[in-house]
């Protein structure tokens, strides 16, 4: 069982996220392994340990600091790390990013052997790229089962539960496949001291575009499929009217709603 | 006028409101053409509504494989229609499925995609709200056929009669697309309340409910609202995850959002910040939720909500 877990380095959601002058997301500021990807790493580790043998390869595409995201996955227990970085990748949009990830997966397969499963977290916290996982699956010709709240691998198939609004669906997919998992699926482990020490000795490959055999013309800002016209910081909301409840708060609330024709 | 394909969401022929919104957006930018996946009977039932909201044509694809497998067959369908119909754009609802179908179809047709648009102009410039609503971006697809996923509730659906002529199209997905099979479906008991992402009003409860959602539900029912919950309430097992609002739950954009006993963490705001009116009930006057509130009551939700419920009922 060989699993690739996509991990992503994201601006820290708790800090202020911003855009740089060239309209790309400021990824230099304090960042970390997307919390949502920890669920994918955890699930990968559990599946491999249930299978009895295999390995988890944590893969990231991103600036130099993105190595931290891979490092964190290695500390959690992933066996190998891959960090794809090339100046030319900067400014890539969703489809170009998907092309880089797909090419990186092909490279891993070439070097390490067949991959059974690709696991990803939910849409990244910066939300501009929510279609990347399915686009990677499309480019690799793989089936995808997204938003899994439960994943069970049985031999050559994987069974997934997806919890929707009005129903839960059970999906069966033949391996190899791509599966994205929700934050309901498990409780990601914290790296242990031993894990942190061991991670320092684990292999971490650095690839650039040439290594993964992707033409620079296919990525970056110039190759983008979408163009940003304008970015504006949302004006802070007008301070609202705040009242203290002195026994009439519910009534006052409804009077306000009525004045706005909301009830 | 150039055609815009609109992927319709429906339950056995009863069309989702979000699809009518897509038709309205398509009408302002071109000629709406509905793409309907389902049986011929369901299509007959849906066609008058689709026509009323501007669909000139209703393309019906009824191969059962389209609904027996996840996403990939519908993505093939859209890609093949992009090829055969040469539309100016493809609109889908920014639901998880809509986004994925469009994402795959965009990759197949080497096209750009914009997701979570809250507005689209007649020349296909889309507006998105990102980083928990902190920024507004306008952008355009510059390669291939633009795929745009529009958030429910962002555009108001306006009737505008179209011909609505129904055309059966023969399309069968390839074997390669028939890989993620839906083997069973477990229906959840219906709440009888409006759908969270489509509701005009959402009333949400958080940790402050201390596990008792009764006052939240009673107020929601009085105003005809859907019920939402913060992650703290969901993680505590007080309310189902399907009702979670926020970064790892649903994004809602109703006319009115009421947050009761919710502090207003950034991850919660990510799911509700674009609501038109925000009301907060919280006993801590320093709770960050008050920074976004158009109206706030500093008080105990167990006193404020029941009184508000009575006041709404008294207005009838
Ligand atoms: C990766 C990640 C994803 C996340 N995704 C989401 C998400 O999708 N949605 C989400 O909501 N959160 C999400 N969170 C969690 C988020 O950070 C907060 O922890 C959560 O929103 C807090 O929920 P709360 O406001 O109900 O609880 P608290 O922050 O504990 O706030 C409870 C509030 O209730 C008030 N209160 C208490 N008693 C009463 C009373 N009787 N009457 C009135 N007010 C009262 C308190 O003053 C307090 O302000 C996510 C976190 C992470 C790390």
């Amino acid at each position: 069982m060989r699993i690739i877990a996509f991990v992503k380095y994201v601006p820290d959601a708790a800090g202020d996220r911003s855009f740089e002058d060239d309209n790309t997301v400021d990824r230099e500021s304090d960042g970390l392994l997307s919390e949502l990807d920890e669920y994918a790493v955890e699930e990968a580790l559990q599946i491999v340990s249930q299978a009895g043998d295999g390995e988890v390869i944590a893969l990231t595409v991103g600036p130099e600091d993105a190595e931290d995201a891979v490092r964190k996955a290695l500390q959690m227990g992933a066996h190998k790390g891959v960090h794809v970085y090339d100046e030319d990748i900067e400014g890539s949009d969703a489809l170009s990013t998907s092309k880089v990830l797909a090419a990186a997966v092909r490279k891993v397969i070439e070097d390490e052997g067949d991959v059974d499963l690709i696991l990803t977290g939910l849409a990244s916290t910066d939300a501009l790229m929510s279609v990347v996982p399915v686009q990677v699956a499309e480019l690799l010709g793989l089936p995808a089962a997204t938003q899994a709240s439960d994943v069970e691998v049985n031999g050559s198939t994987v069974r997934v539960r997806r919890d929707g609004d009005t129903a839960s669906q059970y999906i069966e997919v033949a391996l190899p496949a791509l599966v994205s998992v929700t934050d309901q699926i498990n409780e990601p482990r914290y790296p242990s001291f031993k894990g942190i020490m061991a991670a320092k000795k684990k292999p971490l490959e650095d690839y650039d575009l040439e290594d993964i055999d992707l033409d620079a013309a296919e990525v970056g800002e110039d190759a983008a499929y979408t163009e940003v016209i304008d970015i504006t910081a949302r004006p802070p909301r007008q301070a609202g009217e705040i009242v203290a409840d002195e026994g009439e708060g519910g009534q006052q609330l409804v009077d306000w709603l009525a004045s706005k024709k909301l009830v | 006028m150039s055609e815009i394909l609109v992927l319709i969401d429906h339950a056995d022929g009863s069309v989702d409101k979000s699809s009518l919104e897509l038709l309205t957006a398509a009408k302002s930018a071109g000629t709406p053409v509905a793409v309907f996946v389902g049986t011929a009977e369901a299509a007959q039932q849906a066609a008058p509504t689709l026509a009323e909201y501007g669909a000139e044509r209703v393309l019906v694809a009824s191969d059962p494989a389209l609904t027996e497998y996840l996403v990939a067959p519908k993505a093939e369908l859209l890609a093949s229609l992009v090829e055969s119909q040469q539309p100016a754009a493809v609109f889908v609802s920014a639901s998880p499925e809509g986004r994925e179908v469009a994402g795959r179809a965009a990759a197949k047709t080497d096209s750009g995609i914009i997701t979570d648009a809250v507005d689209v102009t007649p020349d296909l410039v889309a507006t998105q709200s990102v980083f928990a609503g902190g920024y507004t971006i306008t952008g355009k697809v510059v390669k291939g056929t633009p795929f745009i996923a529009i958030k429910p509730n962002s555009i108001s659906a306006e009737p505008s009669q179209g011909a609505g002529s129904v055309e059966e199209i023969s399309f069968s997905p390839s074997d390669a697309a028939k890989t993620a099979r839906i083997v069973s479906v477990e229906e959840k008991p219906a709440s009888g309340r409006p759908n969270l992402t489509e509701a005009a009003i959402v009333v949400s409860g958080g940790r402050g409910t201390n596990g008792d959602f009764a006052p939240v539900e009673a107020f929601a029912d009085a105003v005809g609202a859907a019920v939402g919950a913060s992650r703290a309430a969901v993680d505590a097992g007080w309310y189902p995850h399907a009702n979670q609002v926020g970064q790892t739950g649903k994004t809602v954009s109703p006319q009115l959002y009421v947050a009761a006993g919710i502090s207003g963490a950034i991850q919660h705001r990510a799911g509700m910040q674009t609501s038109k009116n925000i009301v907060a009930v919280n006993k801590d006057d320093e709770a960050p939720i008050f920074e976004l509130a158009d109206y706030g009551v500093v008080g105990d939700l167990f006193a404020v909500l029941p009184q508000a419920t009575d006041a709404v009922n008294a207005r009838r």
Side-chain angles (χ1 to χ4, degrees), chain A residues 125 135 138 142 146 164-166 168 170 172 183 223 225 227 229-230 232 234 241 243 245 247 250-251, chain B residues 100 103-104 108 110 133-134 136 138 140 142-143 181 183-184 186 188 231 247 250 273 294 296 298 307:
Chain A
T125 30
Q135 293 197 323
E138 181 62 40
L142 292 180
T146 53
D165 287 342
T166 56
S168 292
Y170 291 85
E172 242 169 50
D183 60 342
Y225 288 78
E227 185 182 281
I229 296 169
D230 188 35
T232 40
R234 189 190 170 105
E241 191 181 337
V243 299
D245 178 31
Q251 182 66 51
Chain B
E100 288 176 20
R104 277 195 102 114
K108 274 182 198 299
D110 207 32
T136 299
T138 56
K140 217 175 151 73
V142 291
K143 270 197 210 167
R181 197 164 61 89
V183 285
S184 66
E186 248 168 48
K188 294 183 182 166
R231 174 156 158 179
Q247 187 201 319
K250 300 274 152 45
Q273 191 148 21
D294 298 295
V298 181
Q307 187 180 72

Side-chain angles (χ1 to χ4, degrees), chain A residues 194-213:
Chain A
K194 230 178 97 197
I196 293 170
M197 296 313 288
K200 296 188 173 145
K201 296 196 202 77
K202 289 178 178 171
L204 202 166
E205 301 283 348
D206 278 303
Y207 294 143
D208 60 15
L209 283 176
E210 204 181 314
D211 294 324
I212 61 171
D213 203 16

